[in-house]
Amino acid sequence: MRPNGRHTAGASQLPAIRVWAMCLLLLSAVAMSPTTAKAAPSQAAAATTHVYLLRGVLNIFSLGLDTIGSRLQAQGIPVTVANFVSWSSLADEAATAYKAGRIKTIVLVGHSSGATALPDMIAKLNQLGVPVKLAIGLDSVFKTRLSTGAERYINIYIGDGPGEPVRAAAGLRGKLDNVDVRGTGVGHISIDKNEAIQRRVIAEIDAAIMRSRAPAAPVAAEPGAPRSARAAAATAPPRN
């Protein structure tokens, strides 16, 4: 008889049993854990969104907006890229499509003078009874006051460059965020082409579309609200 030998053999199997037990527990945990997926707008939400991208002066220095537009289109999101001087006619087109039910979510993005024109475009849409879900300005070049609101307005500007923070007028409804990106290496001409800025713009648009299941209520314009961007663009010297 070799009782010690049998005891030793049995004990040597215990670590192996523990290892198999741990493996089974880990496999069970993996099987029960939900797969985490990156949130993205549904096809229906994307298709009923329209993003208007407004270039700046001369229509040649804001070509990063074209890249943003192409990336959005790859997600199934309709876009229009145009010069900032078209903001009024674009607002009319957006209002017509919104009231016909073809558009449910309106997003505006502008660079340079295109960013300066955003408050005017928002005001006109609001006057037409049409809400703006999100507006993103990239380095607005004139002092800009937001008197009527999008649900959210993000002004990304270079504090030690030509860009300006957007000022909130009394009684402004909607959220206004001024984001100063000085020191990040971007310049006025390159801000719309910067990869990190483009990713942020697209991420903010995707998030707004995800929120669009609860449409923003129309925001009434203040009587006699100033049209500062249009007047400034008409009288100030060109800046890109």
Side-chain angles (χ1 to χ4, degrees), residues 41-78:
S42 67
Q43 280 189 327
T48 55
T49 297
H50 201 105
V51 180
Y52 295 88
L53 300 115
L54 303 184
R55 294 175 182 157
V57 170
L58 301 181
N59 214 29
I60 58 174
F61 296 108
S62 304
L63 299 183
L65 297 185
D66 295 62
T67 304
I68 293 172
S70 295
R71 291 182 176 185
L72 293 172
Q73 285 179 317
Q75 295 181 206
I77 302 171

Coordinates of all heavy atoms in Angstrom, one line a residue, residues 41-78:
P41 N -26.1 57.0 -35.6 CA -27.5 57.3 -36.0 C -28.1 56.2 -36.8 O -27.4 55.6 -37.6 CB -27.4 58.6 -36.8 CG -26.0 59.2 -36.5 CD -25.2 58.0 -36.2
S42 N -29.4 56.0 -36.6 CA -30.0 55.0 -37.4 C -30.2 55.5 -38.8 O -30.1 56.7 -39.1 CB -31.4 54.7 -36.9 OG -32.3 55.8 -37.0
Q43 N -30.4 54.6 -39.8 CA -30.6 55.0 -41.2 C -31.7 56.0 -41.4 O -31.6 57.0 -42.1 CB -30.8 53.8 -42.1 CG -29.5 53.1 -42.4 CD -29.8 52.0 -43.5 OE1 -30.8 51.4 -43.5 NE2 -28.8 51.8 -44.3
A44 N -32.8 55.8 -40.7 CA -34.0 56.6 -40.8 C -33.7 58.0 -40.3 O -34.0 59.0 -40.9 CB -35.2 56.0 -40.1
A45 N -33.0 58.1 -39.1 CA -32.7 59.4 -38.5 C -31.7 60.1 -39.4 O -31.8 61.3 -39.5 CB -32.1 59.2 -37.1
A46 N -30.7 59.4 -39.9 CA -29.7 60.0 -40.8 C -30.3 60.6 -42.0 O -30.0 61.7 -42.5 CB -28.6 59.0 -41.1
A47 N -31.2 59.8 -42.6 CA -31.8 60.2 -43.9 C -32.7 61.4 -43.8 O -32.9 62.2 -44.8 CB -32.6 59.0 -44.5
T48 N -33.3 61.6 -42.6 CA -34.2 62.8 -42.4 C -33.5 64.0 -41.8 O -34.1 64.9 -41.3 CB -35.4 62.4 -41.6 OG1 -35.0 61.8 -40.3 CG2 -36.3 61.4 -42.3
T49 N -32.2 63.9 -41.7 CA -31.3 65.0 -41.3 C -30.8 65.7 -42.5 O -30.6 65.1 -43.5 CB -30.2 64.5 -40.4 OG1 -30.7 63.9 -39.2 CG2 -29.2 65.6 -40.0
H50 N -30.5 67.0 -42.4 CA -29.8 67.7 -43.4 C -28.8 68.6 -42.8 O -29.1 69.4 -41.9 CB -30.7 68.5 -44.3 CG -30.1 68.8 -45.7 ND1 -30.5 68.1 -46.8 CD2 -29.1 69.7 -46.0 CE1 -29.8 68.6 -47.9 NE2 -28.9 69.5 -47.4
V51 N -27.5 68.5 -43.2 CA -26.4 69.4 -42.7 C -26.1 70.4 -43.7 O -25.7 70.0 -44.9 CB -25.2 68.5 -42.3 CG1 -24.1 69.4 -41.8 CG2 -25.6 67.4 -41.3
Y52 N -26.1 71.7 -43.4 CA -25.7 72.8 -44.3 C -24.4 73.3 -43.8 O -24.2 73.7 -42.7 CB -26.8 73.9 -44.2 CG -28.1 73.5 -44.7 CD1 -29.1 72.9 -43.9 CD2 -28.4 73.6 -46.1 CE1 -30.3 72.5 -44.4 CE2 -29.7 73.2 -46.6 CZ -30.6 72.6 -45.7 OH -31.8 72.2 -46.2
L53 N -23.4 73.2 -44.7 CA -22.0 73.6 -44.5 C -21.7 74.9 -45.2 O -21.8 74.9 -46.5 CB -21.0 72.5 -44.8 CG -21.3 71.2 -44.1 CD1 -21.7 70.1 -45.0 CD2 -20.1 70.7 -43.3
L54 N -21.4 76.0 -44.5 CA -21.2 77.3 -45.2 C -19.7 77.6 -45.2 O -19.1 77.7 -44.2 CB -21.9 78.3 -44.4 CG -23.5 78.2 -44.2 CD1 -24.0 79.4 -43.5 CD2 -24.1 77.9 -45.5
R55 N -19.2 77.7 -46.4 CA -17.8 78.2 -46.6 C -17.6 79.7 -46.3 O -18.6 80.4 -46.3 CB -17.3 77.8 -48.0 CG -17.2 76.4 -48.4 CD -16.9 76.3 -49.8 NE -16.8 74.9 -50.3 CZ -16.9 74.6 -51.6 NH1 -17.2 75.6 -52.5 NH2 -16.8 73.3 -52.0
G56 N -16.4 80.1 -46.2 CA -16.1 81.5 -46.0 C -15.9 82.3 -47.2 O -16.3 81.9 -48.3
V57 N -15.3 83.4 -47.1 CA -15.0 84.3 -48.2 C -14.2 83.7 -49.3 O -13.4 82.8 -49.1 CB -14.3 85.6 -47.7 CG1 -13.8 86.5 -48.9 CG2 -15.2 86.4 -46.8
L58 N -14.6 84.0 -50.6 CA -13.9 83.5 -51.8 C -14.2 82.1 -52.1 O -13.8 81.6 -53.2 CB -12.4 83.8 -51.8 CG -12.0 85.2 -51.6 CD1 -10.4 85.3 -51.6 CD2 -12.5 86.1 -52.7
N59 N -14.8 81.3 -51.2 CA -15.2 80.0 -51.4 C -14.1 79.0 -51.7 O -14.3 77.9 -52.2 CB -16.2 80.0 -52.6 CG -17.3 78.9 -52.5 OD1 -17.7 78.6 -51.4 ND2 -17.8 78.4 -53.6
I60 N -12.9 79.3 -51.3 CA -11.7 78.5 -51.6 C -10.9 78.1 -50.4 O -10.0 77.3 -50.5 CB -10.8 79.1 -52.7 CG1 -10.3 80.4 -52.2 CG2 -11.5 79.2 -54.0 CD1 -9.2 81.0 -53.2
F61 N -11.2 78.8 -49.3 CA -10.4 78.5 -48.1 C -11.0 77.6 -47.0 O -10.5 77.4 -46.0 CB -10.0 79.9 -47.4 CG -9.1 80.7 -48.3 CD1 -9.7 81.9 -48.9 CD2 -7.8 80.4 -48.6 CE1 -8.9 82.7 -49.7 CE2 -7.0 81.2 -49.4 CZ -7.6 82.3 -50.0
S62 N -12.2 77.1 -47.4 CA -13.0 76.3 -46.4 C -13.2 74.9 -46.9 O -14.2 74.3 -46.6 CB -14.3 77.0 -46.0 OG -14.1 78.3 -45.6
L63 N -12.3 74.4 -47.6 CA -12.5 73.1 -48.3 C -12.5 71.9 -47.3 O -12.9 70.8 -47.7 CB -11.4 72.9 -49.4 CG -11.5 73.9 -50.5 CD1 -10.4 73.6 -51.6 CD2 -12.9 74.1 -51.1
G64 N -12.1 72.2 -46.1 CA -12.2 71.1 -45.1 C -13.7 70.8 -44.9 O -14.0 69.6 -44.5
L65 N -14.6 71.7 -45.1 CA -16.0 71.4 -45.0 C -16.5 70.4 -46.0 O -17.4 69.6 -45.8 CB -16.8 72.7 -45.1 CG -16.6 73.8 -44.1 CD1 -17.6 75.0 -44.3 CD2 -16.7 73.3 -42.7
D66 N -15.8 70.4 -47.2 CA -16.2 69.4 -48.2 C -15.8 68.0 -47.7 O -16.5 67.0 -47.9 CB -15.4 69.7 -49.5 CG -15.8 71.0 -50.1 OD1 -15.7 72.1 -49.5 OD2 -16.4 71.0 -51.2
T67 N -14.7 67.9 -47.0 CA -14.3 66.6 -46.4 C -15.2 66.2 -45.4 O -15.6 65.0 -45.3 CB -12.8 66.7 -45.8 OG1 -11.9 67.2 -46.8 CG2 -12.4 65.4 -45.3
I68 N -15.6 67.1 -44.5 CA -16.6 66.8 -43.5 C -17.9 66.3 -44.2 O -18.5 65.3 -43.8 CB -16.9 68.0 -42.6 CG1 -15.7 68.3 -41.7 CG2 -18.1 67.7 -41.7 CD1 -15.7 69.6 -40.9
G69 N -18.3 67.0 -45.2 CA -19.5 66.7 -45.9 C -19.5 65.3 -46.5 O -20.4 64.5 -46.5
S70 N -18.3 64.9 -47.1 CA -18.1 63.6 -47.7 C -18.2 62.5 -46.6 O -18.8 61.4 -46.9 CB -16.8 63.5 -48.4 OG -16.7 64.4 -49.5
R71 N -17.7 62.8 -45.5 CA -17.7 61.8 -44.4 C -19.2 61.6 -43.9 O -19.6 60.5 -43.5 CB -16.8 62.2 -43.3 CG -15.3 62.1 -43.6 CD -14.4 62.5 -42.5 NE -13.0 62.3 -42.8 CZ -12.0 62.5 -42.0 NH1 -12.3 62.8 -40.7 NH2 -10.8 62.3 -42.3
L72 N -19.9 62.7 -43.8 CA -21.3 62.6 -43.4 C -22.1 61.8 -44.4 O -23.0 61.0 -44.1 CB -21.8 64.0 -43.1 CG -21.2 64.8 -42.0 CD1 -21.8 66.2 -42.0 CD2 -21.6 64.1 -40.6
Q73 N -21.9 62.1 -45.7 CA -22.6 61.4 -46.7 C -22.3 59.9 -46.7 O -23.2 59.1 -47.0 CB -22.2 62.0 -48.1 CG -22.9 63.3 -48.4 CD -22.4 63.9 -49.7 OE1 -21.3 63.8 -50.1 NE2 -23.4 64.5 -50.4
A74 N -21.1 59.5 -46.3 CA -20.8 58.1 -46.2 C -21.6 57.5 -45.1 O -21.8 56.2 -45.1 CB -19.3 58.0 -45.9
Q75 N -22.1 58.3 -44.1 CA -23.0 57.7 -43.1 C -24.4 57.8 -43.5 O -25.3 57.5 -42.7 CB -22.8 58.6 -41.8 CG -21.4 58.5 -41.2 CD -21.3 59.3 -39.9 OE1 -20.2 59.7 -39.5 NE2 -22.4 59.5 -39.2
G76 N -24.7 58.2 -44.7 CA -26.1 58.3 -45.2 C -26.8 59.6 -44.8 O -28.0 59.7 -44.8
I77 N -26.0 60.6 -44.4 CA -26.5 61.9 -44.0 C -26.5 62.9 -45.1 O -25.4 63.2 -45.6 CB -25.8 62.5 -42.8 CG1 -25.8 61.5 -41.6 CG2 -26.3 63.9 -42.3 CD1 -24.9 61.9 -40.4
P78 N -27.6 63.5 -45.6 CA -27.6 64.4 -46.7 C -26.9 65.7 -46.3 O -27.1 66.2 -45.1 CB -29.1 64.7 -47.0 CG -29.8 63.5 -46.4 CD -29.0 63.1 -45.2

